[in-house]
Amino acid sequence: MSTYSHIIGTGSAAPERVVTNRDLEQIVDTSDDWIVRRTGIRERRISSLERPENTAEMATKAAREALEAAGMEPDELDMIVVGTVTPDRQFPATGCMVQTALGAGRAAAFDISAGCSGFLYALNTVHNAVRCGAAGKALVIGVERLSSVLNWEDRGTCVLLGDGAGAVVVSAGSDNGGILSTHIRSDGQFWDLLYAYYGENHIPDSLDHLDAKPFKLRMEGNRLFKRAIGCLTEIAVEALEHNGMTSRDIKLVVPHQANIRIIQGMIRNLGIPMEQVYTNVDRFGNTSSASIPIALNEARREGLLTPGDHVLLVSFGAGLTWASAVIRWSMEAVLSEAEDAVGCAINQAPAAIFPGP
Ligand code: UT7
């Protein structure tokens, strides 16, 4: 008998602090008009050290919400896979910190670094582990604290990125459906279009540098932009063909939220109307690995997904990496009483103060 992998819970979390485009006008030479026209972003969430909002803490909060939605206890988990490029520490893995915070003592936990495709790479790993019997129940998390690696003097990048976390619970099941396919791709020859650097070297040159923030982010946005639309279109078409589908079979596209113009370009190529695309880039900016699971969780909680719907997930990011997943949705549309009571963590009233990064 075949084993299928089903998403049975989703959750997300984001920092309280909202940073608007107007706030950023105060620290770099930019404007709300430029940011909205070129990216679609109006605000983003930025974590604070004064609250439990570091990478592992956001990931744990999203994971708890996903487990709650699944009606599952942490000790039932066999695996925790975290996609992130902004762990709190170089090692150990964020996954291990989440494991102990949750009390998921049986789970094998580790991280995947695949730029903005981290969540879909992690989903791919778990999907294959479930299908071959290596795991029965697993958490897949995408989490970023990009504010910790941003250069707040670079208007070309600091206006784009934000912090947050999203999670899904994947479970083995005998019902046909669930995750139908995952595809992952990389092209390392363009790694230098988007990376974190420490000065010109990877180790401090002198003791003076030891106090400096270790990593800053550098991006060639325009060259990335051109590749993004092509790669996203290519992997979406590959995913549809693999499943014998056309774009008409897709109920909802949940793409990586980097820039509304990238999403529109891909969607135009696929011939899918924008009404069938979930976007929240206006409220979160680009949260890298976290963007797809946050959007998926919002879409589910807004009642946009019912069992049997086909959902297409697509991502593109640093590496370069790009990835896709096609899901025949199998989770009930109705929120459980517990979920209703807790509400969606990311929709709680935010504190709109910007004391600076
Ligand atoms: O998450 C996956 C990886 N990331 C991406 O895929 C991001 C892909 N790239 C993009 O989304 C876009 O390229 C950006 C939003 C980063 C930039 O938009 P663009 O339309 O490609 O602008 P550009 O880089 O070609 O810059 C156009 C102008 C430049 O001025 P000049 O040289 O024409 O005078 C920039 O200096 O806009 C200027 N500019 C800004 N102006 C106001 C760049 N950043 C800003 C800013 N505010 N924040």
Side-chain angles (χ1 to χ4, degrees):
M1 196 169 66
S2 297
T3 302
Y4 299 90
S5 56
H6 291 267
I7 290 180
I8 61 164
T10 70
S12 58
E16 266 186 50
R17 178 168 53 181
V18 173
V19 174
T20 65
N21 294 346
R22 296 265 181 235
D23 293 324
L24 292 176
E25 285 176 1
Q26 293 163 31
I27 62 166
V28 283
D29 179 15
T30 190
S31 67
D32 176 55
D33 178 64
W34 190 95
I35 303 171
V36 172
R37 259 191 309 109
R38 300 282 181 134
T39 70
I41 300 167
R42 293 180 186 278
E43 60 186 40
R44 68 288 291 142
R45 301 293 183 94
I46 299 294
S47 68
S48 159
L49 293 176
E50 289 157 21
R51 289 186 284 272
E53 295 179 341
N54 70 25
T55 299
E57 287 161 339
M58 290 191 289
T60 303
K61 198 168 172 188
R64 283 209 175 98
E65 201 178 83
L67 286 167
E68 175 124 19
M72 242 180 73
E73 295 301 324
D75 60 9
E76 295 176 58
L77 290 167
D78 302 308
M79 197 177 264
I80 299 173
V81 188
V82 178
T84 188
V85 292
T86 48
D88 298 316
R89 297 173 195 282
Q90 191 170 358
F91 65 89
T94 305
C96 293
M97 298 183 187
V98 173
Q99 177 198 21
T100 191
L102 291 175
R106 292 180 48 243
F110 55 97
D111 293 359
I112 286 181
S113 172
C116 302
S117 302
F119 174 77
L120 288 185
Y121 268 61
L123 191 71
N124 168 275
T125 302
V126 161
H127 172 55
N128 287 318
V130 166
R131 283 202 315 175
C132 74
K137 289 189 166 77
L139 254 178
V140 184
I141 302 172
V143 57
E144 301 294 356
R145 191 162 162 249
L146 290 159
S147 58
S148 67
V149 297
L150 275 182
N151 176 354
W152 288 95
E153 291 168 353
D154 176 15
R155 69 177 183 173
T157 52
C158 77
V159 305
L160 305 174
L161 303 164
D163 302 336
V168 301
V169 178
V170 175
S171 174
S174 52
D175 290 347
N176 193 332
I179 301 170
L180 301 181
S181 69
T182 55
H183 288 86
I184 56 173
R185 297 278 176 272
S186 317
D187 188 350
Q189 64 178 315
F190 298 108
W191 70 265
D192 59 352
L193 294 188
L194 178 52
Y195 62 97
Y197 71 99
Y198 182 75
E200 295 307 318
N201 300 310
H202 296 287
I203 50 169
D205 304 329
S206 73
L207 290 179
D208 294 344
H209 292 150
L210 287 177
D211 285 340
K213 217 167 194 184
F215 296 109
K216 288 218 174 110
L217 185 136
R218 231 177 230 172
M219 182 172 94
E220 283 199 45
N222 201 268
R223 288 181 63 200
L224 270 180
F225 186 96
K226 287 173 188 146
R227 298 208 158 265
I229 297 176
C231 290
L232 286 164
T233 306
E234 171 206 296
I235 205 150
V237 169
E238 185 180 6
L240 293 175
E241 284 177 0
H242 176 90
N243 291 291
M245 293 178 182
T246 71
S247 52
R248 279 192 293 280
D249 296 307
I250 298 298
K251 170 80 184 304
L252 192 70
V253 183
V254 182
H256 170 49
Q257 313 278 319
N259 184 325
I260 196 69
R261 292 191 293 137
I262 293 176
I263 296 173
Q264 287 163 342
M266 170 193 71
I267 288 306
R268 208 173 300 127
N269 289 344
L270 294 177
I272 296 177
M274 267 312 269
E275 299 74 57
Q276 280 171 247
V277 183
Y278 194 87
T279 64
N280 59 13
V281 68
D282 56 329
R283 288 179 288 119
F284 290 99
N286 179 350
T287 57
S288 187
S289 293
S291 85
I292 288 179
I294 290 176
L296 192 62
N297 183 45
E298 287 196 333
R300 180 178 79 78
R301 283 162 191 273
E302 288 171 24
L304 300 179
L305 294 169
T306 47
D309 288 346
H310 289 134
V311 189
L312 172 65
L313 313 180
V314 270
S315 69
F316 170 84
L320 303 176
T321 59
W322 59 109
S324 72
V326 175
I327 301 164
R328 186 176 305 143
W329 198 252
S330 42
M331 224 185 138
E332 282 307 320
V334 183
L335 297 187
S336 70
E337 270 176 38
E339 284 186 82
D340 252 346
V342 170
C344 185
I346 56 179
N347 285 336
Q348 282 164 11
I353 319 149
F354 186 47

